[in-house]
């Protein structure tokens, strides 16, 4: 981390182990950060919120062996367009700060151990085109605030513990191709 001027770091698809350093927050010029498909473990450092908040557009951490919760500091990454954090062993509630990712188009949180209700703030991300929340332990009802997602193409919420009716607002999502 002596060089903080990297624009992209891609270490995906290896067998790397250990933890992600708390010094991650020193990387201020990143546009892409990819550590997917490895064996990283422990918790995600809260310093993720200082990871190039003005430039980071793409991050993929999926298919690792993390534990713990998704840090609330992710809300600082408001320039993200793709946020891929699936199949990682994360638990707890999805933080409400997820609604601060105003530019996010792809939000992938499926196949974790998230519980609780889907935060209403998630529907503040009006640029979302793909929302994947399947294979978690989410509870509650589907929100009529889905109507804010006018560009949404795919929503996956299968294999959770959601209850109640499907809001009529889903039928007004003209871009929606897949609901599963």
């Amino acid at each position: 981390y002596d060089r903080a001027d990297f624009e992209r770091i891609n270490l995906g698809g290896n067998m790397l182990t250990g933890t992600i350093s708390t010094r991650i927050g020193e990387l201020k010029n990143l546009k892409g950060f990819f550590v997917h498909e490895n064996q990283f473990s422990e918790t995600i450092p809260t310093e993720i919120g200082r990871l190039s908040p003005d430039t980071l557009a793409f991050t993929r951490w999926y298919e690792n062996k993390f534990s713990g919760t998704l840090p609330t500091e992710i809300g600082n990454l408001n320039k993200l367009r793709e946020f891929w954090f699936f199949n990682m062993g994360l638990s707890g509630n999805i933080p409400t700060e997820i609604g601060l990712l105003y530019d996010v188009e792809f939000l992938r949180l499926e196949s974790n151990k998230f519980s609780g209700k889907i935060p209403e703030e998630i529907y503040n991300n009006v640029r979302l085109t793909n929302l994947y929340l399947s294979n978690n332990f989410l509870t509650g009802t589907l929100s009529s605030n889905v109507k804010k997602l006018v560009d949404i193409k795919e929503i996956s919420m299968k294999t959770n513990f959601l209850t109640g009716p499907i809001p009529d607002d889903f039928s007004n999502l003209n871009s929606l191709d897949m609901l599963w």
Side-chain angles (χ1 to χ4, degrees):
Y1 292 92
D2 290 334
R3 287 202 38 212
D5 59 343
F6 288 108
E7 285 191 10
R8 284 187 170 70
I9 294 177
N10 188 343
L11 299 171
N14 287 290
M15 297 296 290
L16 299 173
T17 61
T19 61
I20 301 290
S21 171
T22 57
R23 294 186 65 196
I24 192 173
E26 297 173 20
L27 300 169
K28 299 294 185 192
N29 297 311
L30 283 179
K31 294 178 183 172
F33 185 73
F34 308 99
V35 292
H36 58 282
E37 297 173 328
N38 278 293
Q39 302 294 313
F40 289 114
S41 60
E42 303 295 323
T43 59
I44 296 170
T46 58
E47 288 79 5
I48 188 175
R50 294 195 327 255
L51 183 64
S52 308
D54 296 325
T55 59
L56 187 66
F58 308 97
T59 191
R60 296 181 182 168
W61 294 51
Y62 64 90
E63 294 185 4
N64 276 288
K65 298 181 183 239
F66 290 104
S67 60
T69 60
L70 187 59
T72 59
E73 289 81 1
I74 56 105
N76 296 338
L77 304 175
N78 54 19
K79 298 295 182 193
L80 273 177
R81 290 180 36 219
E82 293 186 7
F83 188 80
W84 294 31
F85 272 60
F86 63 89
N87 198 18
M88 293 178 38
L90 298 175
S91 60
N93 292 333
I94 297 172
T96 58
E97 289 80 2
I98 203 86
L100 298 173
L101 304 178
Y102 301 120
D103 288 338
V104 73
E105 297 169 12
F106 283 80
L107 182 57
R108 299 199 59 181
L109 299 174
E110 76 267 22
S111 300
N112 280 292
K113 299 173 189 169
F114 290 121
S115 58
K117 295 182 178 184
I118 298 169
E120 287 294 313
E121 291 82 359
I122 210 165
Y123 304 106
N124 294 339
N125 301 321
V126 296
R127 293 188 180 173
L128 266 175
T129 59
N130 298 72
L131 174 61
Y132 302 99
L133 300 173
S134 59
N135 301 316
N136 281 292
F137 298 94
L138 299 170
T139 59
T141 59
L142 298 174
S143 174
S144 63
N145 280 326
V146 72
K147 65 186 168 213
K148 295 180 182 179
L149 305 179
V150 295
D151 293 325
I152 196 79
K153 294 179 181 182
E154 290 187 28
I155 298 175
S156 177
M157 296 184 181
K158 67 180 182 161
T159 319
N160 279 293
F161 296 96
L162 301 171
T163 58
I166 298 172
D168 290 338
D169 299 287
F170 275 86
S171 64
N172 296 325
L173 298 172
N174 295 328
S175 298
L176 188 64
D177 293 327
M178 292 179 38
L179 174 62
W180 47 295

